[in-house]
Amino acid sequence: MTKVRVRFAPSPTGELHIGGARTALFNYLFARRNSGTFVLRIDDTDLERSKEEYTEKLMEALQWLGLEWDEGPFYQSNRLNEYISEVNRLVAEKKAYRCYCSVDELAAGRELARKENRAYLYPGTCRQHFPEEDDHRSKAGIKPAIRLLTPEDGETIVYDLIRGEVHFDNRGLDDFIILKSNGQPTYNFASVVDDLQLKISHVIRAEEHLSNTPRQVLCAMALGYQLPTYAHVPMILAPDRSKLSKRHGATSVEEFRNLGFLPEALINYMALLGWSPGAEDGVSELIGIEHMIELFSLARVGKTAAVYDTDKLTWMNGQYLREYDLDRLAEAARPFFIKHGFLRENPGEMELHFLKAVIAVVRERAKTLIELAEKSFYFYSDDFAYDQKALDKAFKNKGVAAILLDIAGLLKALNTFDQNVTETVFNEYCAKNNISPGKVIQPVRLAITGLGGGPGLFEIMELLGPARTIRRIQQAAASIRNTPQ
Ligand code: GLU
């Protein structure tokens, strides 16, 4: 059996899109499942659009997702000599030829095809020329492009693990350029040379590349290498079934990260876009990466497009947020708390300890790290408005200011301020005065959090400590007394 070697080959022309990340994930899972090697290749031959900064960002995004590669990054821009030497070999073997057609000539051909309403195919003008002619033109300083000599009829068959045999009529493929006149290889050619020289066994990539594959197969055959096995994974569509784009909100891994998603949740969600783990008992939708590696197979990747659903991803993130290791969650949440002004850039031990305690209390109710920070505001700030709806309900009852002051007085007298003690105080107060607990808890909650709902009140109070709790209750009482009823 051939050793499994797969590659992820992003072009550094933008951030890592969720589609690209899903391709990387499937490659990673396939490699790990088959004890193979996961190679990272950077397709940076498009000099105008490729940026080093994007390469950095792509790698950072992969690392953040935990998709560590075993080899690479291999930069296509460093491998120019390999491509040129293979091109020269093909020309020497008469499997490729120099094309001196001018830009204008080609444009005229394209224009004619457009007018005649047919697809443009290069007519093979330069297929046959004499070496003297070449000589003559190169002396005149004209730089040729190199085209692959392709069969005029018959078909090229792509064997795809997901799609089966896909047939392409060779009459629809022209002698395409493999090396541009500026000396740069085209994607199809460079990609094949790399796949073959890096001994890639399986090319797992987006469906949009299926139409490139017959050209790549022809290149590989001309080069005389053994073909890799192909697997084209289905597209990811937006909820409205259109192509997923910026207008649908976040689409890059970086954006999801900034919105407070956890890498494990994103990985879990992406894995299910096109792959289904199977009906085995006990396989839930929430699957950690190790379990995914055990279950992954390309046979369970579907052909039909997967539809992306933000609500599901957000739900899933919430599930991960609840179960996450608290230390790691605090680490992940830290930048969001800093951004909200709740933490300093370099928080001390005590602040981090407090952060963890806050997160432990709030995380049940948050679906993203942004929400986690937002919902923690009353632990960090005294300066908040009361929620109007809650206020109408909780502060308008008769005698509520007196109740608040009673509670403040009782809390003041305490020596210990943990949740059990304060809860007992509340219960005893209610029993003694024959008041239903809600009539006490609701106004106190509103006084200390500004909200009508949230985590357990006694947990919150313990974390806030007596001084802040009592002060907020007293302030609420004063504000009720000062508000004309
Ligand atoms: N650079 C191509 C892309 O980003 C890679 C295609 C391939 O995997 O061959 O789409």
Side-chain angles (χ1 to χ4, degrees), residues 256-270:
F256 285 112
R257 182 180 181 175
N258 293 337
L259 286 173
F261 286 88
L262 294 165
E264 290 82 355
L266 202 53
I267 287 279
N268 191 158
Y269 180 72
M270 289 192 305

Side-chain angles (χ1 to χ4, degrees), residues 7-13 20 23 27 41-44 76 187 191-192 195 203-206 208-209 212 216 232:
R7 87 303 194 267
F8 176 52
S11 308
T13 54
T23 300
N27 274 286
R41 182 180 95 200
I42 304 294
D43 283 4
D44 58 350
Q76 289 194 322
Y187 154 69
S191 187
V192 167
D195 287 340
V203 169
I204 305 168
R205 63 182 169 199
E208 62 192 2
H209 288 295
N212 288 322
Q216 298 186 8
H232 287 90

Side-chain angles (χ1 to χ4, degrees), residues 35-316:
S35 312
T37 306
F38 178 43
V39 175
L40 178 63
R41 182 180 95 200
I42 304 294
D43 283 4
D44 58 350
T45 47
D46 183 341
L47 299 179
E48 257 157 47
R49 293 175 60 226
S50 300
K51 294 214 166 65
E52 221 177 287
E53 136 201 12
Y54 287 130
T55 305
E56 294 297 323
K57 282 186 164 191
L58 286 166
M59 293 202 282
E60 211 182 296
L62 287 174
Q63 277 161 340
W64 179 74
L65 287 170
L67 303 178
E68 293 285 345
W69 53 96
D70 307 307
E71 283 181 22
F74 296 103
Y75 292 86
Q76 289 194 322
S77 56
N78 287 341
R79 293 177 42 79
L80 222 56
N81 289 340
E82 308 292 338
Y83 310 131
I84 291 176
S85 106
E86 287 298 62
V87 165
N88 289 341
R89 178 163 72 84
L90 291 185
V91 173
E93 291 173 5
K94 298 202 172 1
K95 291 174 178 166
Y97 59 88
R98 296 185 180 85
C99 170
Y100 288 96
C101 292
S102 69
V103 175
D104 293 344
E105 258 173 277
L106 296 173
R110 254 184 233 113
E111 180 57 20
L112 188 67
R114 198 185 58 79
K115 276 196 186 132
E116 291 173 0
N117 215 1
R118 59 178 165 83
Y120 171 76
L121 293 175
Y122 176 68
T125 321
C126 293
R127 266 190 173 191
Q128 313 263 330
H129 33 166
F130 302 102
E132 311 82 79
E133 229 178 300
D134 273 6
D135 210 34
H136 172 72
R137 299 205 210 202
S138 60
K139 273 196 188 122
I142 305 172
K143 289 223 158 49
I146 309 294
R147 290 182 184 271
L148 189 76
L149 192 66
T150 61
E152 280 170 87
D153 44 31
E155 50 179 25
T156 300
I157 302 174
V158 173
Y159 297 93
D160 188 287
L161 281 182
I162 296 170
R163 276 144 225 285
E165 271 183 25
V166 190
H167 295 242
F168 293 87
D169 190 335
N170 287 337
R171 283 172 302 183
L173 306 169
D174 58 2
D175 289 349
F176 54 91
I177 293 178
I178 54 176
L179 191 75
K180 297 183 221 166
S181 56
N182 66 3
Q184 288 293 320
T186 53
Y187 154 69
N188 280 323
F189 188 73
S191 187
V192 167
V193 172
D194 290 337
D195 287 340
L196 302 173
Q197 293 188 352
L198 297 174
K199 301 201 165 14
I200 299 301
S201 62
H202 295 75
V203 169
I204 305 168
R205 63 182 169 199
E207 183 185 350
E208 62 192 2
H209 288 295
L210 183 61
S211 58
N212 288 322
T213 313
R215 291 188 177 81
Q216 298 186 8
V217 167
L218 291 174
C219 287
M221 280 166 42
L223 288 163
Y225 291 127
Q226 203 195 331
L227 285 173
T229 302
Y230 292 97
H232 287 90
V233 301
M235 302 255 296
I236 301 177
L237 297 180
D240 61 4
R241 298 201 141 260
S242 64
K243 196 170 175 228
L244 190 60
S245 71
K246 283 263 170 263
R247 74 191 163 87
H248 298 106
T251 50
S252 74
V253 170
E254 201 176 330
E255 284 171 303
F256 285 112
R257 182 180 181 175
N258 293 337
L259 286 173
F261 286 88
L262 294 165
E264 290 82 355
L266 202 53
I267 287 279
N268 191 158
Y269 180 72
M270 289 192 305
L272 301 179
L273 290 173
W275 171 65
S276 69
E280 291 91 325
D281 284 343
V283 179
S284 85
E285 281 189 312
L286 299 173
I287 325 171
I289 191 110
E290 293 305 326
H291 196 188
M292 271 178 220
I293 292 171
E294 272 170 42
L295 297 175
F296 190 78
S297 91
L298 288 169
R300 297 205 65 94
V301 174
K303 289 195 197 56
T304 45
V307 178
Y308 164 79
D309 174 357
T310 331
D311 292 343
K312 175 109 180 250
L313 168 60
T314 310
W315 167 81
M316 205 169 252

